[in-house]
Amino acid sequence: MSLTHFFETDLANLRGMTPARLTMLQTELGLFTYADLIQYFPFRYEDRTIVHSIAEISDQMEHAQFIGRIRYKEKIGNGARQRIVAECCDASGCIELVWFQGIKWLEKSLVSGQDYLFYGKPTNFNGQLQMTHPEMEVYKGVQHAEKNFQPIYPLTEKLRKKYIDSKVIAGLQKNLLSTAFPYIRETLPADIIQQFKLISKQEALYHIHLPQSENWLRQARRRLKFEELFYNQLRLIKQNLVRKETFPGQVFASAALLTSFYQEHMPFDLTEAQKKVIREIFQDMRSGKQMNRLLQGDVGSGKTIVGFISMLLAIDNGAQACIMAPTEILADQHYQGLKKFADLLGITIAKLTGSVKKKDRVGIHEGLESGELNILVGTHAIFEDVVQFKNLGLCIIDEQHRFGVAQRAKLWDKNKVTHPHVLVMTATPIPRTLAMTLYGDLDVSIIDELPVGRKPIQTTHRFDSHRLQVFAFIQSELDKGRQVYIVYPLIEESEKMDFKDLMDGYESISRAFPEVPLGILHGKMKPADKDIEMARFVKHETKIMVATTVIEVGVNVPNASIMIIESAERFGLSQLHQLRGRVGRGAEQSYCILMTGYKLGVDTKKRIETMVRTNNGFEIAEVDLQLRGPGDISGTRQSGAIDLMIADLATDGEILKVARETAMAILESDPHLALDKHLMIREQVMHQRKETTNWARIS
Ligand code: ADP
Ligand code: MG
């Protein structure tokens, strides 16, 4: 049987497979072939290398394994409380074992006087050491106890109901490995294996399923993680290289307008970090290749001006520019801000959002097509096919790291002759490891410094019962002429309840501050109404803005100095950080107050504590990743860019870094993987591409 054919074998042919098991593996886990099964890795292992004496066992232990003899057993209780209780002892002591299920079976097969090997979680029940529902096997002598690390596979409830547990899967893996071994071929070149002291693919696949020692297990994981991340990075970096080769970019060489803006109208000095990223962007826009760059910078780091200056470079060279924002409010704010500059320079700018009237749209469309309009600010409306430019040179996407490859491609087509340069700006800092995998195909610039003179926001945590003190504090800030945001959660599943919370909050605030003009802003309002409310707040007509997270991104009201977040326990870390970023935009000291109830879980405490401790978005993103894992970081799951089978972006940053550097070095020396010594890598990349396209077709 040929190499590839073996692994394409239908699982039905595997020893130990039954029709029932086969169906479950197919429907529940999507496993069809030998290749699917062998790549279905355990997510943790139980250490069965140690056998404790019963005296050593305490309820502090996660799990314990022991050999014991059943002294006596009895069935007690009725109905749902019916259970089997047994006393089990070794030479050192005794432990009580309890079962609520499988009673009939246990009555027959749990034999007094017999030795068993037990494994489970020890607990303390009224001072009595106990184990409920331990795993058990009849003890067959010394070698039996010399078990190893037992693989635990990710399984579903349905599988467990059909008695397909990790042991069954491990048994199938064992059967598979016993025949598959000679067919497993190496997938990493020898020099890489040598350089990083990796074990072979054969060894790795064997020990990932049936680890013979802790060391083998560690080596197996390291090898497979490295391989996965190496090919992931290789693919992304290659994509970037190929794109640069394939897609030329307009060369923007002259900078007259830009210089005059810089010399005459710049409202402040740029930070060093801003200057650095502008240099990086300019280099791209003059390189002759199409730019695809991600600009990361914390809230308030001054990304807008970087974007504007980049636009000027395009306009300087006879091209047009557009900036796309996720919401109407934000688009409007950009428009207002940029229009001031545009007017000073005598360049034209228009705003295109869903609420722009049809007859106004027509004018905008014409202006874009004739080239009369230099800058277009807008929302997703820009995507529409009727929106055509004379020569779009630069497209900026603001506050949107959720922007997928498909959407980017759609923007490219806004210029059929030469694709526009693309700059994606995000204020949701993402950890280094995530950026490398999610945006491995983009070039990344980072603004890691805030403008000088910005006072760090002071963040505190207050319990709901201290609301009166918080109100008193709000009053004192209002007396100084400041403005306040009060934010309530709005989560889709409980939209009705949230809406009530918001309205109740609004009521109680208007009672507490009868003289103070309030505004309200939530997702159910019409865009026009939202704009009116926001405009009133911007003009200081309202002093307190009661809102849901619709104000999350981008809005800029420098006079607002307090951000109160109600039910802060219901927000994720990055969202809390985004919301906090709405204050601290002016010269005054700003405050963020996180309100919660008394009962907080461990993770919630960690989130709140992190917010209180630091204002650094990158640090916060790192904690967020540790708490939630990469799959839950917003937007990443849909992107599908990180379908990693074994590597964990929260913990494998070091391996990722090395894998990326290795991939980079190879592609730098041999961009097309044409050299003989890269044959294996080339084949592997092609093989993976085939698999992904197959998968795409299926799903
Ligand atoms: P973000 O990166 O969150 O989009 P903005 O671009 O909205 O930040 O900038 C936040 C505020 O800081 C704006 O009022 C902007 O004018 C101001 N700003 C930007 N850069 C500087 C700078 N170098 N010095 C002083 N203020 C700046
Ligand atoms: Mg911004």
Side-chain angles (χ1 to χ4, degrees), residues 72 162 202 221 224 226 305 313 325 345 402 409 420 440 444 462 475 509 555 582 609 621 640 672 683 697:
Y72 76 85
K162 300 271 177 194
Q202 277 183 332
R221 296 180 64 118
L224 293 172
F226 182 92
I305 194 80
L313 187 68
L345 294 169
R402 288 152 216 200
V444 178
R462 291 280 175 268
Q475 187 60 59
I509 291 154
V555 219
R582 298 306 106 220
E609 170 206 301
H672 296 283
E683 278 179 359
R697 212 180 48 228

Side-chain angles (χ1 to χ4, degrees), residues 268-271 274 298-304 451 454 556 585:
F268 38 66
D269 290 332
L270 293 173
T271 62
Q274 284 172 319
D298 217 335
V299 270
S301 61
K303 291 183 293 294
T304 315
R454 208 60 74 70
N556 194 18
R585 309 192 137 237

Side-chain angles (χ1 to χ4, degrees), residues 551-589:
I551 59 149
E552 185 181 347
V553 266
V555 219
N556 194 18
V557 182
N559 189 51
S561 67
I562 302 189
M563 167 62 67
I564 314 265
I565 304 178
E566 291 279 354
S567 304
E569 61 266 51
R570 286 179 51 194
F571 293 86
L573 250 183
S574 65
Q575 219 177 7
L576 289 173
H577 181 61
Q578 282 297 317
L579 287 167
R580 175 168 64 182
R582 298 306 106 220
V583 298
R585 309 192 137 237
E588 309 305 333
Q589 176 63 54

Side-chain angles (χ1 to χ4, degrees), residues 303-304 334 398-399 554:
K303 291 183 293 294
T304 315
H334 277 321
D398 192 25
E399 302 284 4

Side-chain angles (χ1 to χ4, degrees), residues 331-391:
D332 195 50
Q333 194 147 53
H334 277 321
Y335 177 70
Q336 305 297 344
L338 298 183
K339 183 156 180 17
K340 277 189 212 126
F341 293 143
D343 289 349
L344 287 171
L345 294 169
I347 56 182
T348 48
I349 181 166
K351 183 180 75 169
L352 183 65
T353 66
S355 59
V356 170
K357 299 227 168 50
K358 191 158 182 217
K359 68 173 198 307
D360 296 333
R361 276 169 192 250
V362 175
I364 293 171
H365 293 163
E366 285 170 5
L368 291 172
E369 274 168 54
S370 68
E372 223 167 274
L373 262 177
N374 299 122
I375 298 179
L376 181 67
V377 181
T379 54
H380 270 71
I382 294 183
F383 268 138
E384 287 168 20
D385 290 333
V386 286
V387 182
Q388 291 296 331
F389 295 79
K390 180 169 185 223
N391 176 17

Side-chain angles (χ1 to χ4, degrees), residues 43-305:
F43 71 105
R44 67 182 176 87
Y45 299 81
E46 282 174 358
D47 185 351
R48 303 289 179 91
T49 55
I50 299 167
V51 179
H52 290 280
S53 68
I54 292 179
E56 289 172 327
I57 298 173
S58 88
D59 59 340
Q60 300 302 308
M61 298 161 85
E62 244 345 281
H63 290 100
Q65 178 172 245
F66 63 94
I67 299 159
R69 182 167 301 178
I70 300 296
R71 281 279 185 75
Y72 76 85
K73 59 165 183 180
E74 75 180 309
K75 184 167 80 176
I76 47 179
N78 290 309
R81 299 293 305 155
Q82 194 175 58
R83 58 202 184 271
I84 294 235
V85 178
E87 187 181 49
C88 175
C89 303
D90 67 3
S92 72
C94 296
I95 182 169
E96 194 172 270
L97 305 176
V98 186
W99 288 267
F100 293 95
Q101 272 153 30
I103 291 183
K104 260 202 194 122
W105 181 79
L106 283 159
E107 275 189 303
K108 268 200 319 254
S109 42
L110 189 68
V111 182
S112 288
Q114 168 77 55
D115 284 341
Y116 290 91
L117 184 68
F118 289 104
Y119 177 88
K121 161 100 190 97
T123 51
N124 182 328
F125 186 73
N126 293 334
Q128 163 76 53
L129 193 62
Q130 224 183 41
M131 198 175 270
T132 310
H133 285 239
E135 281 181 34
M136 55 180 279
E137 281 174 57
V138 172
Y139 179 60
K140 300 193 202 86
V142 186
Q143 72 278 19
H144 185 185
E146 282 174 3
K147 286 198 155 186
N148 283 303
F149 290 85
Q150 290 216 341
I152 306 297
Y153 292 88
L155 296 172
T156 65
E157 206 44 53
K158 272 197 189 146
L159 287 166
R160 275 190 215 99
K161 281 215 179 93
K162 300 271 177 194
Y163 303 103
I164 301 176
D165 58 9
S166 286
K167 263 193 197 141
V168 170
I169 305 275
L172 293 173
Q173 297 283 12
K174 193 171 182 178
N175 294 346
L176 175 54
L177 279 160
S178 68
T179 44
F181 216 67
Y183 294 102
I184 299 172
R185 46 172 201 156
E186 190 46 70
T187 42
L188 284 173
D191 54 339
I192 290 184
I193 290 191
Q194 223 163 24
Q195 190 185 351
F196 298 107
K197 302 200 167 46
L198 302 171
I199 61 173
S200 72
K201 180 90 178 216
Q202 277 183 332
E203 289 168 322
L205 284 178
Y206 183 79
H207 289 287
I208 202 74
H209 294 295
L210 309 165
Q212 293 304 300
S213 72
E214 194 170 1
N215 187 44
W216 273 117
L217 174 58
R218 204 172 33 240
Q219 295 300 333
R221 296 180 64 118
R222 185 164 155 270
R223 144 83 210 212
L224 293 172
K225 285 173 177 198
F226 182 92
E227 174 176 345
E228 178 166 52
L229 293 171
F230 171 74
Y231 281 109
N232 167 287
Q233 291 299 301
L234 196 84
R235 190 169 43 82
L236 290 169
I237 299 167
K238 197 161 180 301
Q239 265 172 24
N240 194 0
L241 288 176
V242 168
R243 202 172 48 207
K244 283 190 175 141
E245 221 170 71
T246 321
F247 299 111
Q250 300 193 52
V251 179
F252 296 145
S254 95
L257 189 65
L258 180 67
T259 314
S260 95
F261 175 73
Y262 208 83
Q263 287 171 351
E264 290 159 40
H265 306 295
M266 252 320 266
F268 38 66
D269 290 332
L270 293 173
T271 62
E272 285 310 310
Q274 284 172 319
K275 286 183 198 162
K276 181 192 70 188
V277 306
I278 289 173
R279 274 196 299 274
E280 288 166 353
I281 292 167
F282 279 19
Q283 227 163 45
D284 285 358
M285 290 171 64
R286 288 171 172 164
S287 68
K289 322 251 184 247
Q290 187 209 8
M291 168 171 80
N292 278 281
R293 188 169 280 278
L294 175 74
L295 175 56
Q296 281 202 69
D298 217 335
V299 270
S301 61
K303 291 183 293 294
T304 315
I305 194 80

Side-chain angles (χ1 to χ4, degrees), residues 38 50 118 211 213 233 254 270 289 403 409 523 546 549 594 611 618 642 677 691:
I38 211 165
I50 299 167
F118 289 104
S213 72
Q233 291 299 301
S254 95
L270 293 173
K289 322 251 184 247
F403 206 72
V546 180
T549 48
L594 307 171
M611 284 294 292
F618 286 95
I642 45 168
K677 65 174 181 174
E691 280 197 348

